[in-house]
Amino acid sequence: MMATRRGNHEGSIYGHKDGFAGQVTIEGRRRTFYGKTRREVQGKIRAAVNEGERGIAPSRENLSLEQFLTRWLEEAVRPGVSPRTYASYDYHVRLHFIPALGKRKLRALQPSDLQGLYARLLGQGLAPKTVRNAHIVIHKALEQATGWDLAPRNVADLVRPPRVERREPNTLSAGEVRRLWAAIAGTRWEALLVLAVATGLRQGEMLGLRWGDLDPGRAALQVRRQLHRDKTYGTPKAKSRRRIDLAAPEIRALARHKARQDALRLARGAAYEDRDLVFCTDLGRPLGWRNVTRAFKRLLGAAGLKDVRFHDLRHTNATLLLEAEVHPKIVQERLGHSTIAVTLDIYSHAIPSLGRGAADRLHEVLGDGEAEGGTGRGGDDGEAGDELPY
């Protein structure tokens, strides 16, 4: 077999334990690139050569993983995410990656370093979901490192995080929802909990609602912001900013809630802080997450219902909609999920009923009779055959 001649500026490309590696000299400096395929390495080499020809100097920083992750958190993460998301990223970086691998040079980091760390964390008793979340964080960080030309490749691409067995969401049945609504009728919490079940809004989205977000003429609301646990407001991600149609029970509950709130505003006078909040304290201030949760738990107990989280009302909404054979795409849009795959993955327990409905509906369209001159679903003798043939 004849050897393939290397192209101009292709450098030396050879097999590597994780794919391919290639070396090329640019401005007197020997540089190494890695990739899963030869073509990927060729592309990286050509890009580096082109940058050299345009006078763009290659990065000469040789940061430790700790130095890079600290910089990444402050320059790339903090400006673009909510305080809660930043705290989650910071938690994994400070508690898991810096203590174990912080002194390792970023460019020298290997897939085996991460795989070994995951094994140790699982051995220490961390839940697979926690370790998988840590993997998501380091993958995002190393992706940024390659974009900044601080690392030759994202070694997290070559690591297998632990599998997480998804648990079926804890939800209330339709009967339990009716009992809850009966128990809260006429209370200050009625509108909040009716709306939570009927819309599937996240708790922060509920507490961030303003009266200006409601459109009575179109019987709908707009999700435009959310209240964080520290009582600061933030803007939801693009898919989470959405319009949700309302039905008569929600509209009536909101009307009663507005009348009560208007009466309170008049009674409190100058002490009332009018921030246009739909759900607020008796003085117009934002409700605390913990106060809402405590009140919700008390109401569940008073109604004789099982213990569920406030967030489980969102799961209840999605499950009841899917069991009512609402199209998953509609459910996704109402929940604000990024893709329909997220919805189907979380609520797979409620999907089988859609299959039964599809099978029955096909024959509603075709008619329940047999094909002309045929035997329908019967056997060869033409008798009825409703049972499956095994």
Side-chain angles (χ1 to χ4, degrees), residues 261-312:
Q261 195 179 89
D262 288 343
L264 272 174
R265 184 186 300 106
L266 290 174
R268 297 291 188 267
Y272 192 90
E273 300 177 18
D274 191 353
R275 306 186 188 185
D276 196 39
L277 291 171
V278 175
F279 303 111
C280 56
T281 69
D282 287 350
L283 291 176
R285 298 166 186 163
L287 285 170
W289 280 52
R290 289 183 179 178
N291 292 337
V292 172
T293 299
R294 281 196 289 265
F296 175 55
K297 297 291 187 179
R298 287 197 303 270
L299 291 165
L300 284 174
L305 296 171
K306 63 186 178 184
D307 185 37
V308 295
R309 304 169 303 162
F310 190 96
H311 192 75
D312 291 327

Side-chain angles (χ1 to χ4, degrees), residues 1 4 8 30 45 49 68 113 140 146 159 164 178 187-188 192 203 205 236 246 255 267 276 278 284 308 359 372 387:
M1 180 177 177
T4 303
N8 192 28
R30 193 70 170 166
I45 289 176
V49 170
F68 164 71
D113 295 327
K140 287 180 179 290
T146 60
V159 178
V164 177
R178 287 191 287 270
T187 72
R188 62 172 298 182
L192 187 145
Q203 187 169 349
E205 294 171 341
L246 302 176
D276 196 39
V278 175
V308 295
E372 292 185 14
E387 295 184 359

Side-chain angles (χ1 to χ4, degrees), residues 101-255:
L101 301 171
K103 303 304 180 186
R104 186 69 53 89
K105 291 297 182 182
L106 177 61
R107 288 183 173 275
L109 191 67
Q110 297 296 316
S112 57
D113 295 327
L114 296 181
Q115 199 74 69
L117 173 60
Y118 297 168
R120 292 194 297 275
L121 292 176
L122 291 170
Q124 293 167 12
L126 263 68
K129 181 175 176 57
T130 302
V131 179
R132 193 174 188 88
N133 288 342
H135 171 77
I136 292 171
V137 170
I138 197 65
H139 188 279
K140 287 180 179 290
L142 295 178
E143 195 67 25
Q144 186 68 73
T146 60
W148 285 347
D149 197 24
L150 297 175
R153 57 177 176 162
N154 186 344
V155 297
D157 282 335
L158 305 168
V159 178
R160 287 188 177 183
R163 289 189 59 186
V164 177
E165 296 294 331
R166 185 174 289 280
R167 298 177 182 176
E168 185 173 313
N170 192 18
T171 63
L172 298 177
S173 67
E176 289 170 329
V177 169
R178 287 191 287 270
R179 285 169 55 190
L180 174 63
W181 284 359
I184 62 176
T187 72
R188 62 172 298 182
W189 302 106
E190 179 186 13
L192 187 145
L193 295 178
V194 167
L195 205 63
V197 175
T199 65
L201 288 183
R202 301 174 178 92
Q203 187 169 349
E205 294 171 341
M206 293 284 301
L207 301 183
L209 276 178
R210 293 169 292 195
W211 288 108
D213 297 324
L214 274 62
D215 185 345
R218 296 184 178 179
L221 63 80
Q222 293 283 344
V223 179
R224 295 189 176 102
R225 68 173 186 169
Q226 57 191 352
L227 180 70
H228 300 304
R229 293 177 186 271
D230 61 0
K231 294 190 177 181
T232 61
Y233 292 98
T235 302
K237 297 177 182 177
K239 283 287 187 179
S240 293
R241 296 194 293 271
R242 60 201 187 277
R243 176 181 179 273
I244 299 179
D245 293 321
L246 302 176
E250 299 97 85
I251 294 172
R252 290 194 294 267
L254 285 168

